[in-house]
Amino acid sequence: MVTEQQIFDHLKTVLIDTFEIEESLIKPEARFYEDLDIDSIDAVDLIVKLQPMIGDKKISPADFKQVRTIADLTAVLAKLLNDPNP
């Protein structure tokens, strides 16, 4: 079982290391596009960077379409990672 805090901490590391985002800006309510300047191309890069964490599982396009904030992505990843079905 992966907690949302563990996912958030991993996301924070990826955002800092990959996109050089200031740590103080990375909060659950931060919006990817408006607050963090993460565009659609960056979002694809982000998913690629998260692939080692999610393994063979895939984020559905419908779920990803709903993601606006770090909290949204954390919730989607928690649901995906804690789903017992492969």
Side-chain angles (χ1 to χ4, degrees), residues 7 10-15 18 32 43-55 57 59 64 73-74 77 80-81:
I7 294 167
H10 184 73
L11 269 173
K12 182 190 286 190
T13 300
V14 170
L15 290 168
T18 305
F32 284 102
V44 172
D45 289 342
L46 178 60
I47 296 303
V48 169
K49 293 289 185 180
L50 294 173
Q51 205 59 51
M53 181 174 91
I54 58 179
K57 297 184 178 196
I59 299 173
F64 196 73
L73 183 55
T74 301
L77 290 173
L80 180 71
L81 293 170

Side-chain angles (χ1 to χ4, degrees), residues 8-77:
F8 176 79
D9 291 343
H10 184 73
L11 269 173
K12 182 190 286 190
T13 300
V14 170
L15 290 168
I16 292 168
D17 292 350
T18 305
F19 302 103
E20 299 177 356
I21 293 173
E22 184 66 42
E23 184 173 359
S24 64
L25 298 175
I26 303 171
K27 304 173 194 149
E29 65 275 9
R31 297 167 298 176
F32 284 102
Y33 183 72
E34 294 87 347
D35 300 329
L36 304 178
D37 201 28
I38 299 287
D39 62 21
S40 58
I41 302 294
D42 292 333
V44 172
D45 289 342
L46 178 60
I47 296 303
V48 169
K49 293 289 185 180
L50 294 173
Q51 205 59 51
M53 181 174 91
I54 58 179
D56 293 339
K57 297 184 178 196
K58 301 282 184 222
I59 299 173
S60 78
D63 282 346
F64 196 73
K65 200 177 206 180
Q66 302 305 314
V67 170
R68 297 284 180 263
T69 66
I70 291 178
D72 293 342
L73 183 55
T74 301
V76 166
L77 290 173

